[in-house]
């Protein structure tokens, strides 16, 4: 690449973020159905697929998962790792609400399902009481999240989602070119390890908190969500409706608490 600085041109090497499509297929009752194609950073693909299906109400928990694997019917070897099939037990679920067909960009999230009523119809419960959070611990979370972002340090081009204890200890951090993918990778890994719902953990995201990020946290049972950047109006409404704690602009020794301030000390 060429770097332009103070009127001078310098040729340098640079590391850029990898972005490739991942197709997720659902195998239920012997019927295989493509349900999503998302642009993602390769890695933790099984967790990403499991997390995506969990947030959409297709995969409830580890006991419903029969198997998950890369597809073997792809002729091009390099493309075989861009298609994941998730096998679930039981009959074919209702996929009418799964509005993710086609290709989602790395910035895409809910894709039309931005409705509080949709979550109520699904019967998604409010999270448990959740942890009580100390303000000093909150202030430390962005630096701890950044310290675990190895790929971001090299590229500057990835979002991150991190799961922390109420004491601020990091449990799991995942990176991806899409902020919603990073959350799916965290939630999906916890599902694969049979640790859902996440009643006592805190989720931290490196970017903004849109509706889709809050939705994914809610479905996973997370009561406290912190974002380095801003929330959206619908994200705030969702957090208020379901009794979640939503923190935004968590930077330095300052943050905004948009909902659920009663959990903060």
């Amino acid at each position: 690449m060429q770097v332009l600085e103070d009127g001078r041109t310098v040729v340098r090497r640079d590391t850029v973020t990898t972005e490739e499509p991942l197709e997720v297929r659902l195998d239920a009752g012997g019927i295989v159905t493509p349900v999503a194609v998302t642009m993602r950073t390769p890695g933790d693909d099984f967790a990403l697929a499991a997390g995506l299906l969990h947030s959409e109400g297709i995969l409830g928990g580890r006991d419903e998962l029969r198997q998950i694997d890369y597809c073997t019917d792809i002729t091009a070897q390099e493309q075989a790792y861009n298609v994941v099939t998730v096998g679930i037990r039981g009959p074919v679920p209702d996929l009418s609400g799964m509005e993710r067909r086609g290709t989602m960009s790395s910035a895409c999230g809910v894709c039309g399902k931005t409705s509080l009523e949709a979550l109520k119809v699904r019967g998604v419960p409010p999270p448990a009481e959740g942890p009580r959070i100390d303000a000093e611990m909150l202030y430390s979370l962005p630096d701890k999240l950044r310290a675990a972002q190895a790929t971001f340090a090299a590229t500057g081009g990835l979002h991150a989602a991190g799961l922390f204890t109420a004491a601020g200890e990091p449990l799991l951090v995942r990176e991806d070119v899409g902020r919603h993918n990073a959350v799916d990778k965290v939630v999906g890994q916890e599902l694969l390890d049979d640790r859902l719902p996440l009643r006592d953990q805190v989720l931290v995201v490196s970017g903004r908190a849109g509706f889709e990020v809050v939705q994914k946290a809610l479905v996973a049972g997370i009561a406290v969500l912190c974002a380095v950047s801003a929330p959206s109006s619908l994200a705030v409404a969702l957090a208020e409706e379901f009794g979640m704690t939503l923190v935004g602009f968590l930077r330095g020794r300052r943050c905004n608490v948009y909902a659920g301030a009663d959990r903060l000390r």
Side-chain angles (χ1 to χ4, degrees), residues 42-86:
D44 303 296
D45 291 334
F46 293 174
L48 171 56
L52 189 156
L53 293 178
H54 177 73
S55 70
E56 293 296 331
I58 304 301
L59 180 59
R62 182 64 180 83
D63 59 325
E64 298 178 12
L65 180 64
R66 180 164 46 83
Q67 66 179 33
I68 182 168
D69 205 350
Y70 290 106
C71 290
T72 58
D73 61 345
I74 308 298
T75 55
Q77 186 65 29
E78 66 274 12
Q79 292 302 316
Y81 294 100
N82 284 341
V83 182
V84 168
T85 298
V86 180

Side-chain angles (χ1 to χ4, degrees), residues 54-55 124 187 195-199 215-222:
H54 177 73
S55 70
V124 176
V187 173
R195 287 196 286 259
L196 296 185
L198 301 170
R199 297 187 178 93
Q215 172 197 340
K216 292 174 186 297
L218 170 64
V219 176
I222 296 171

Side-chain angles (χ1 to χ4, degrees), residues 4 22 24 42 94 97 123 130 139 161 173 183-184 195 209-210 216 237 260:
L4 303 181
L22 177 70
V24 179
D94 180 12
Y139 301 147
V173 175
V183 175
D184 280 337
R195 287 196 286 259
K216 292 174 186 297

Side-chain angles (χ1 to χ4, degrees), residues 20 31 50 83 136 149 152 171-172 202 204 237-239 247 250:
E20 293 183 5
I31 300 174
V83 182
E136 289 296 325
Q149 292 181 250
F152 178 86
L171 298 172
L172 181 66
V202 178
V204 184
L238 176 59
V247 176
L250 181 56

Side-chain angles (χ1 to χ4, degrees), residues 131-150:
R132 290 290 185 264
I133 302 300
D134 185 80
E136 289 296 325
M137 185 280 290
L138 269 187
Y139 301 147
S140 71
L141 293 179
D143 286 342
K144 291 178 179 178
L145 183 67
R146 177 64 63 86
Q149 292 181 250

Side-chain angles (χ1 to χ4, degrees), residues 181-196:
N181 286 343
V183 175
D184 280 337
K185 287 181 177 181
V186 168
V187 173
Q189 187 59 58
E190 294 300 289
L191 183 149
L192 295 178
D193 292 338
D194 200 16
R195 287 196 286 259
L196 296 185

